[in-house]
Amino acid sequence: MNIPSELKYTKDHEWISIEGDVATIGITDFAQSELGDIVYVEVETVDETLDAEEIFGTVEAVKTVSDLFLPLSGEIIEFNEVLEDEPEKVNSDPYGDGWMIKVKCSDLSEVENLLSADDYKSLVGA
Amino acid sequence: MKNTALTKTHEALGAKLVPFAGYNMPVQYEGVNLEHETVRNAVGVFDVSHMGEFLIEGENALALIQKVSSNDASKLSIGKAQYSCMPNEDGGIVDDLIIYQLKETQYLLVVNASNIEKDWNWIASKNDVGATMRNLSDEYSLLAIQGPKSIEAMQSLTSHDLAAIKFYNFEVGDFAGIDNVIISATGYTGSGGFEIYVKNEDVQQVWDKVFEAGADYGIKPIGLAARDTLRLEMGYCLYGNDIDDTTSPIEAGLGWITKFTKDFTNSEALKAQKEAGVSRKLIAFELDERGIPRHDYEIVDAEGNIIGKVTSGTMSPSLGKGIGLGYVTTDFSKVDSKIYIQVRKKAIPATVVKLPFYKG
């Protein structure tokens, strides 16, 4: 199980990488492996400003549909359009080419609510 | 939770096991898309030992089967199998099944795992003709060896000429060093192959030899997730999704296994339904835009009126688009009809198509 130590995590199995006030968000290696082959990533909230915990999109595996929850409040400024044609990148490279969205954070103090790599490791029992 | 005789083998292969119809079953090994492609292009093996097997025998075995089965089992002969369903008295379906004629007065009925008890009680309640019934479900294992390379890959395991067994025919004989194995040219994938019925104590040996024989052909174990995408690409009904206690065989497009050449449970009402026409029909559809239909999503018309419901849906691994089955009011059931699938907040346009989705 790959859980990079430099990233932040949520209990919903998302990872967050922060540069300045922009957060890049995806789902973890654990999440992609639990979901199995991912066949569709739908994000139709680009340019919208949402609160933390709101649904920003949906990830569909062959057998299941899962909502994606925004870990940090802010404006969704970019969707990884590579995933439109190659959703399987989420399986093959969840922390790299399989990233999902970039968010311009409106409240960086929320970062304190995120899990560290060690917290996330114990959450998934890795 | 019950295990099959191969559960430990699946665990050792790294399968993800999930509860299904009271059994601990492998849903996937390496990944559903890879497994799906393996069956479409090479050969794959499913452990479907959860399926139920009933032996019906005696002078009046056929009489009992004819009462419960919608298809005409008098058309069978020894060595032939038949797909059928058991209608209930209220216009619905108790289960779908395969009937094998083993001997002059001996038949094997293969039913869905989730319905074993219900089917047993149902058939027993209709048995006023004195047929002998035996439930072999806990004694027999079933392997489905499916894919275009099945014949070539498995020929070395038996003295029977596999290429000579026609679709929905079977032989009883030697396979993988075991005698009295049912080698049946059936399966629910649309890619050809065999179903192999053996006793639980013999299935590990058969499994091992099947993988040995298939090694050069790229054989892989296949889970239930790929079984579902494979059957759905063919438009085969899944009990509990596309057919159930409330759907009639006529509505479900199972008229071809509903033969009014004899009497069976509810046959008069179903005949009247066929003549008068049904108000809803099971249709196959493809999405015109990106999206994935799922069980229970609503089907709507251009104005947003609800006209039906999706019963099965997936992203087709072979076609790369969303496909599904669902019931709609008969007005929308013609091929090329435009319908919409309500996927979360969006109504995605879809077109009614002819089956199968996957044409080989």
Side-chain angles (χ1 to χ4, degrees), chain B residues 215-229:
Chain B
D216 290 345
Y217 300 87
I219 201 164
K220 285 180 186 294
I222 314 294
L224 292 184
R227 186 171 169 83
D228 193 49
T229 54

Side-chain angles (χ1 to χ4, degrees), chain B residues 14-197:
Chain B
K16 187 169 164 187
L17 295 160
V18 297
F20 181 84
Y23 287 80
N24 204 12
M25 295 301 290
V27 66
Q28 70 162 50
Y29 299 81
E30 285 180 77
V32 55
N33 286 337
L34 177 82
E35 291 166 31
H36 183 105
E37 277 167 36
T38 300
V39 173
R40 284 280 180 253
N41 302 319
V43 52
V45 185
F46 305 78
D47 175 14
V48 279
S49 302
H50 58 316
M51 301 288 284
E53 293 91 9
F54 304 154
L55 198 68
I56 312 282
E57 52 192 340
E59 235 170 275
N60 288 325
L62 179 62
L64 172 58
I65 291 166
Q66 290 289 60
K67 281 173 72 170
V68 296
S69 167
S70 63
N71 208 338
D72 188 350
S74 72
K75 303 283 192 244
L76 283 169
S77 54
I78 296 169
K80 286 199 190 319
Q82 184 180 69
Y83 180 62
S84 186
C85 78
M86 295 192 288
N88 63 26
E89 272 144 15
D90 311 312
I93 298 173
V94 179
D95 201 2
D96 62 336
L97 75 166
I98 296 181
I99 300 165
Y100 292 84
Q101 184 168 4
L102 299 177
K103 294 178 184 167
E104 202 49 50
T105 57
Q106 190 185 62
Y107 297 82
L108 184 71
L109 274 50
V110 180
V111 304
N112 284 299
S114 50
N115 291 334
I116 291 173
E117 198 185 338
K118 178 179 82 166
D119 292 355
W120 177 265
N121 293 337
W122 177 259
I123 299 168
S125 77
K126 300 289 174 188
N127 187 13
D128 53 8
V129 294
T132 306
M133 295 174 57
R134 278 167 63 195
N135 185 352
L136 305 178
S137 305
D138 289 340
E139 295 163 43
Y140 274 81
S141 294
L142 172 56
L143 299 182
I145 302 167
Q146 299 278 296
K149 294 185 180 166
S150 302
I151 294 177
E152 221 185 323
M154 295 297 117
Q155 187 57 66
S156 66
L157 296 180
T158 175
S159 61
H160 292 266
D161 179 3
L162 292 178
I165 309 177
K166 289 191 196 125
F167 194 48
Y168 269 80
N169 282 238
F170 66 95
E171 301 269 352
V172 181
D174 64 294
F175 190 86
I178 309 290
D179 283 329
N180 285 315
V181 175
I182 297 177
I183 309 166
S184 168
T186 48
Y188 224 50
T189 63
S191 281
F194 301 92
E195 291 183 299
I196 304 289
Y197 296 85

Side-chain angles (χ1 to χ4, degrees), chain A residues 13-46:
Chain A
H13 308 287
E14 287 152 332
W15 59 262
I16 303 100
S17 150
I18 299 166
E19 266 180 67
D21 62 351
V22 174
T24 304
I25 293 157
I27 66 168
T28 64
D29 190 26
F30 175 82
Q32 70 76 21
S33 125
E34 284 294 299
L35 288 168
D37 290 345
I38 287 162
V39 289
Y40 191 29
V41 181
E42 185 185 76
V43 173
E44 296 190 326
T45 47
V46 174

Side-chain angles (χ1 to χ4, degrees), chain B residues 5 32 55 76 160 184 192 204 224 232-233 247 275 302 325 341 347:
Chain B
V32 55
L55 198 68
L76 283 169
H160 292 266
S184 168
Q204 184 70 54
L224 292 184
L232 188 48
E233 284 188 344
T247 61
E275 281 161 6
L325 302 176
I341 310 301

Side-chain angles (χ1 to χ4, degrees), chain A residues 33-37 39-40 42 44 58 60-65 67 83-85, chain B residues 16 28 31-34 224-225 228-229 290-292 294 297 314-315 343-344 346:
Chain A
S33 125
E34 284 294 299
L35 288 168
D37 290 345
V39 289
Y40 191 29
E42 185 185 76
E44 296 190 326
T58 311
E60 301 210 34
V62 173
K63 297 295 281 181
T64 55
V65 185
D67 287 329
L83 300 182
E84 283 192 353
D85 292 321
Chain B
K16 187 169 164 187
Q28 70 162 50
V32 55
N33 286 337
L34 177 82
L224 292 184
D228 193 49
T229 54
R290 298 180 66 94
I292 304 170
R294 304 278 182 184
Y297 283 7
T314 194
M315 172 71 89
V343 178
R344 294 179 286 279
K346 267 190 305 187

Side-chain angles (χ1 to χ4, degrees), chain A residues 25-93:
Chain A
I25 293 157
I27 66 168
T28 64
D29 190 26
F30 175 82
Q32 70 76 21
S33 125
E34 284 294 299
L35 288 168
D37 290 345
I38 287 162
V39 289
Y40 191 29
V41 181
E42 185 185 76
V43 173
E44 296 190 326
T45 47
V46 174
D47 296 336
E48 289 181 27
T49 299
L50 300 176
D51 287 335
E53 305 286 315
E54 282 196 86
I55 294 168
F56 72 85
T58 311
V59 56
E60 301 210 34
V62 173
K63 297 295 281 181
T64 55
V65 185
S66 305
D67 287 329
L68 295 163
F69 297 94
L70 196 65
L72 298 166
S73 307
E75 183 190 350
I76 294 154
I77 55 174
E78 196 179 343
F79 167 56
N80 179 8
E81 283 173 5
V82 170
L83 300 182
E84 283 192 353
D85 292 321
E86 297 174 89
E88 63 274 14
K89 292 275 187 209
V90 178
N91 293 114
S92 60
D93 192 7

